[in-house]
Amino acid sequence: MDVRVSFLQLPVELICDILQLLSVKNLLQCNLVCKRLRRIIYQSSALLYSIELSRCRMRSAMSSDLSFATRLQNLRDRENAWRTLNLNSRHKLKLAHSGTVYEFAGGVYGTGKEIDRRTAYITFYDLPSVTSGAQRSITHTFSDINVVDFTMDPAQDLLVLVSINLDSQYIYDLHLHTLSTNEPHPLAPAPILPCYRKEPGLNLTDGAIRIQISGDTIGFLVKEAFLFLQAHFEVFKWRAVFPNSCIVKSIAGIDDFTFLSQDHFLLVQPDGLFNVYSFSDPISNPLNPILRASYELPNLSPAYNFWYISLSSNPAPCVPGPTEENKAYYCSPSDRLHACCIYVYQPALPNRDTVYPFVFFFHPKTLLDPPNERKHSSGKARMNIFSPWQGSNTVDVHDDNAPSHSTLDNDSPIFSDLPSFSTSPSVPSSPHVSPPSSASSVSLDGPSSDLLNFPTPQTIHTSPSSMLFDISPSHSSRTTLSKAQCQFPVPWDAWGPQNTRWFREHLSKDWQRSIYGLRTADCVVDRAALESLIHHNGYRSAGANPDVDANDSDSDSEVDGGDESDEDGFIFINEVAFSVGDIESQLGCTGTLPKFLRVRDFNPYSISKVMEEITSEENTSMQNPPSTLVPCAPTVDREFVEREINRFSPDMVRDQGGHRRVVTEPTNINVRGVFTQNIVSWLPYVEAISQDTFNVNEVMMDDSRLLLIKRGRGRKLVKTINILTL
């Protein structure tokens, strides 16, 4: 007797177990099959949790002991708190000391203490312990090494210390220690990685440095060249035996770097060229790293130069998972927003008023998917500078003798499974060109194509978008790029406007943008507070030394001969002094101005959710109109106030808080002649402004916290950090 049982006749528990093995995309397609499957999915917390994780660009922490129902509710509550900036709790972190070198990663905040211009010790604070009512910390002392910088990865219990070694043939040493004990890391075959070989007659370099951890990879950059030394970037596999690195050198300098994926990194040249490299195992292969593509920034006008370009993103790719207790999920390392801060100046007029800062945001997959055909670039001359040192595993940025990319085999890594860019004509400069329509329904009732909910208009016509990628873990494929593809940069109009969002920026002492996942956070000045300060306290010329804030009694006042780098209120690059970029310093005022917190979210799912919520709120507000704002006192010199406020970017001052907006239309940034054309960009985002104001100078963030940093005497960091949890 042939007895056949259909899938839908199986017990519900067994059906759920089977559905749990499917990808989220297939799971949503099952939702469209019939009412029974739809009902099963709706009633399963585990299946709904998988769907919600994908939409929020999160990954599950397999070690969590929480039930799926609890995880799902926590995730929804957290995402709703970010959309509305509804704070859950507020706590204060008391620092034993503050310094110029600090780091925040994996729920740990570390800050160094400088004595005689060297980091003598670093204290690490466990932030979850602060929010639980306690405050755990550990201090590591460094008496035998000259520490100049550090970074950490609590998920791997990894602490990387950068030191200068005067007694070695290399300038820098990277010490691989455990974060918990400050002992050599047991997974590192060599506890010290030497970097940047010394040259005869030169024992030290003045080049600024930067270091970043990405799983088992460490990137280390010496940014500016010193005399005839080249800028130096080296990628290490810190768990591999020697040789375990590959190198890129450039005598023209390298401004910054970031990891785009587990095996791709981005270098930015001082002339505004983005270079994407890949590397494969073993990393010491002579072909590593391989230049995959180059991208141009908008053309500068004559008499203007790029002064400084910085990159930032968080978290790094290939994060093993959360380290905090009871954490059920974490941000997907492949779904990250990148920020590029650009500072342009006129060499003939080196002062603060001639520095023009901008910031734009983009997704890494934008640069991992170069167009198949290249248009002619802007024609900007590129220096063909050769490296005087060429090792078997060293690549010079402009070396024609480097291995030809046309000879690469099919094992060369590139993300060819991603959609291609459109090769249609360049983007019109007018912001009135209508981009593709915005988000559709995000509920389970909608078509399965709404899963990713990426309405982003990143293509000039209707070809696939580089943001329209599968949320399931990507699989690298192998392909071959021609040498011509790497020699001719992709012009800005072919990749930039449709894949970025630009803003006017302010000159900042801290180069890094606060980013986590697809969100970015900053602060904007309350207009009422600024008007009151200008009118009642008076205005002193910019550049004057700021007075001491009487409220900053907890500022670092230790007398130890160190911590002098912040006292003058200036930053130095290329031996040119520029004023610190916060409004308080520019106005020369006392105290810290109240500021609203601002969070921008570039996740299309968040955009569509907020659009639905705003529509509902608007329908309600039509029945209950909001009250008007109280006007300023008639004694205020409005003309004077407006003139001073207008000195800053309009994005830096807000009239009120407690509101949200969705931006899907193109914006046209007035570049004031810095670039040859105004910059059009239209990467969609949703913006939330806090209801309350805070006395803060800088904001840091992770997936569940906002850290409010304040500066006191001499613009030093105050020894109290406000922690806002969502």
Side-chain angles (χ1 to χ4, degrees):
M1 182 177 179
D2 185 12
V3 179
R4 297 184 180 182
V5 179
S6 69
F7 174 72
L8 295 178
Q9 291 176 323
L10 295 174
V12 172
E13 294 80 2
L14 187 54
I15 293 177
C16 288
D17 289 341
I18 296 174
L19 293 178
Q20 192 70 41
L21 301 176
L22 299 179
S23 68
V24 177
K25 182 176 181 179
N26 291 334
L27 183 60
L28 283 191
Q29 290 174 338
C30 290
N31 172 68
L32 305 176
V33 172
C34 63
K35 292 182 179 180
R36 175 169 170 77
L37 275 181
R38 172 186 172 86
R39 184 166 55 251
I40 290 174
I41 295 174
Y42 263 116
Q43 295 175 353
S44 171
S45 298
L47 297 178
L48 288 178
Y49 181 62
S50 297
I51 294 172
E52 202 73 13
L53 278 176
S54 296
R55 287 173 168 170
C56 298
R57 276 56 181 180
M58 297 291 176
R59 291 188 181 179
S60 177
M62 305 306 295
S63 60
S64 176
D65 296 329
L66 300 176
S67 66
F68 282 109
T70 302
R71 299 185 206 182
L72 177 61
Q73 189 60 48
N74 290 345
L75 176 61
R76 287 175 171 173
D77 290 344
R78 178 72 54 76
E79 291 300 306
N80 182 68
W82 277 114
R83 285 194 296 269
T84 60
L85 271 184
N86 184 19
L87 303 177
N88 181 35
S89 61
R90 306 184 185 190
H91 305 273
K92 285 185 179 294
L93 172 63
K94 294 289 186 179
L95 304 179
H97 57 86
S98 64
T100 58
V101 181
Y102 53 94
E103 185 85 356
F104 172 42
V108 176
Y109 181 85
T111 179
K113 180 63 180 178
E114 292 80 22
I115 298 178
D116 295 331
R117 298 189 179 276
R118 61 179 295 270
T119 300
Y121 51 90
I122 304 174
T123 301
F124 302 93
Y125 300 88
D126 178 51
L127 297 190
S129 69
V130 177
T131 57
S132 65
Q135 180 171 309
R136 295 195 301 267
S137 65
I138 184 172
T139 299
H140 296 326
T141 304
F142 314 104
S143 57
D144 55 345
I145 57 176
N146 183 14
V147 176
V148 294
D149 199 1
F150 77 96
T151 189
M152 59 185 174
D153 184 358
Q156 303 183 89
D157 192 26
L158 177 62
L159 171 64
V160 181
L161 304 169
V162 182
S163 70
I164 295 179
N165 192 343
L166 299 179
D167 300 323
S168 169
Q169 58 180 333
Y170 293 88
I171 296 176
Y172 296 100
D173 284 339
L174 308 184
H175 301 259
L176 308 177
H177 288 193
T178 58
L179 183 60
S180 55
T181 64
N182 196 29
E183 297 293 329
H185 202 288
L187 298 181
I192 299 177
L193 301 176
C195 184
Y196 207 163
R197 184 182 294 272
K198 295 177 182 177
E199 295 303 319
L202 295 175
N203 295 323
L204 204 59
T205 177
D206 290 336
I209 61 175
R210 185 174 172 217
I211 187 168
Q212 182 183 6
I213 302 173
S214 176
D216 65 344
T217 306
I218 296 176
F220 182 69
L221 170 66
V222 181
K223 298 181 181 180
E224 290 95 12
F226 177 73
L227 295 181
F228 62 87
L229 285 178
Q230 299 183 72
H232 180 101
F233 176 71
E234 191 162 359
V235 180
F236 295 90
K237 289 286 188 179
W238 65 274
R239 297 186 184 185
V241 296
F242 183 84
N244 59 350
S245 69
C246 61
I247 300 172
V248 177
K249 291 178 177 289
S250 172
I251 200 169
I254 300 173
D255 267 3
D256 211 345
F257 83 96
T258 186
F259 286 105
L260 297 176
S261 70
Q262 184 178 350
D263 53 5
H264 285 71
F265 60 84
L266 169 65
L267 299 183
V268 56
Q269 294 182 195
D271 60 354
L273 190 68
F274 281 13
N275 289 327
V276 177
Y277 291 84
S278 70
F279 56 93
S280 57
D281 289 329
I283 196 170
S284 57
N285 187 313
L287 287 178
N288 284 330
I290 303 169
L291 178 62
R292 289 302 182 184
S294 297
Y295 300 84
E296 290 183 342
L297 291 180
N299 293 331
L300 290 174
S301 298
Y304 289 89
N305 284 345
F306 289 112
W307 175 46
Y308 192 89
I309 304 174
S310 69
L311 302 169
S312 57
S313 66
N314 194 28
C318 198
V319 176
T323 57
E324 302 178 32
E325 298 177 359
N326 299 322
K327 200 162 190 177
Y329 57 88
Y330 62 99
C331 179
S332 171
S334 61
D335 294 311
R336 300 172 300 124
L337 189 68
H338 286 246
C340 178
C341 294
I342 297 176
Y343 304 89
V344 181
Y345 79 114
Q346 293 176 275
L349 301 171
N351 60 67
R352 179 184 57 81
D353 294 329
T354 61
V355 175
Y356 303 90
F358 304 88
V359 60
F360 72 86
F361 299 94
F362 63 96
H363 194 279
K365 292 188 182 292
T366 299
L367 302 184
L368 290 173
D369 183 29
N372 292 326
E373 297 180 6
R374 311 290 178 90
K375 294 173 50 180
H376 290 295
S377 66
S378 62
K380 291 184 291 186
R382 304 279 180 194
M383 297 180 65
N384 188 17
I385 302 174
F386 293 88
S387 169
W389 307 280
Q390 187 71 26
S392 61
N393 200 30
T394 303
V395 174
D396 185 86
V397 171
H398 302 297
D399 191 351
D400 288 340
N401 294 327
S404 171
H405 297 284
S406 60
T407 63
L408 299 179
D409 57 28
N410 289 332
D411 289 334
S412 302
I414 189 70
F415 281 11
S416 63
D417 57 330
L418 300 176
S420 301
F421 282 89
S422 170
T423 57
S424 39
S426 60
V427 180
S429 59
S430 171
H432 303 295
V433 177
S434 299
S437 59
S438 58
S440 57
S441 173
V442 296
S443 68
L444 288 174
D445 298 325
S448 60
S449 60
D450 291 338
L451 159 68
L452 303 182
N453 206 15
F454 270 110
T456 314
Q458 295 147 19
T459 150
I460 300 171
H461 292 301
T462 58
S463 60
S465 164
S466 63
M467 284 281 283
L468 204 57
F469 58 94
D470 195 291
I471 47 76
S472 59
S474 60
H475 301 281
S476 299
S477 59
R478 310 289 185 174
T479 188
T480 302
L481 290 180
S482 67
K483 185 175 182 180
Q485 283 182 300
C486 295
Q487 285 184 337
F488 294 100
V490 180
W492 168 255
D493 286 345
W495 74 273
Q498 62 271 30
N499 292 293
T500 64
R501 178 67 72 167
W502 282 65
F503 302 93
R504 289 270 298 278
E505 182 66 303
H506 62 282
L507 186 61
S508 174
K509 186 182 181 72
D510 297 278
W511 305 115
Q512 300 303 307
R513 297 286 303 190
S514 182
I515 289 179
Y516 197 87
L518 293 172
R519 297 188 182 98
T520 177
D522 61 357
C523 50
V524 288
V525 174
D526 180 10
R527 179 183 291 268
L530 182 56
E531 290 177 343
S532 176
L533 182 141
I534 292 176
H535 176 73
H536 295 290
N537 296 348
Y539 171 76
R540 296 188 299 124
S541 61
N545 292 327
D547 293 340
V548 174
D549 188 348
N551 296 324
D552 290 336
S553 58
D554 57 351
S555 297
D556 196 346
S557 59
E558 300 171 352
V559 179
D560 54 23
D563 278 357
E564 298 177 353
S565 58
D566 281 354
E567 293 181 352
D568 52 15
F570 288 89
I571 51 178
F572 291 85
I573 291 187
N574 298 334
E575 300 182 354
V576 178
F578 290 80
S579 301
V580 176
D582 55 84
I583 289 182
E584 293 89 346
S585 179
Q586 293 187 32
L587 290 176
C589 65
T590 61
T592 303
L593 289 173
K595 299 182 181 70
F596 297 106
L597 301 181
R598 174 173 56 193
V599 173
R600 292 181 175 126
D601 192 341
F602 288 79
N603 186 344
Y605 177 65
S606 300
I607 295 171
S608 58
K609 289 288 290 183
V610 172
M611 290 178 67
E612 294 176 359
E613 294 169 358
I614 289 179
T615 301
S616 177
E617 293 171 359
E618 289 177 348
N619 294 336
T620 303
S621 64
M622 292 179 63
Q623 303 175 357
N624 302 289
S627 58
T628 57
L629 296 175
V630 178
C632 297
T635 56
V636 174
D637 185 346
R638 301 295 303 175
E639 181 179 353
F640 173 74
V641 169
E642 289 297 328
R643 183 172 66 252
E644 295 306 324
I645 291 178
N646 289 337
R647 297 175 59 241
F648 310 103
S649 168
D651 249 6
M652 295 173 59
V653 181
R654 286 298 174 95
D655 292 309
Q656 61 181 349
H659 69 272
R660 296 177 293 171
R661 64 170 182 154
V662 177
V663 181
T664 59
E665 297 298 319
T667 53
N668 190 329
I669 301 297
N670 182 2
V671 298
R672 296 179 291 177
V674 173
F675 296 95
T676 56
Q677 294 180 338
N678 287 342
I679 296 176
V680 178
S681 60
W682 60 67
L683 187 64
Y685 67 96
V686 58
E687 178 182 274
I689 305 292
S690 65
Q691 180 69 47
D692 300 329
T693 58
F694 304 85
N695 289 324
V696 58
N697 294 104
E698 304 165 25
V699 181
M700 304 177 75
M701 71 181 301
D702 64 3
D703 64 324
S704 62
R705 303 179 188 87
L706 289 168
L707 273 60
L708 308 186
I709 312 295
K710 187 178 178 181
R711 295 189 179 273
R713 297 182 179 93
R715 316 313 298 168
K716 291 182 181 179
L717 295 178
V718 174
K719 294 194 294 182
T720 298
I721 296 178
N722 290 313
I723 302 176
L724 311 180
T725 59
L726 291 93

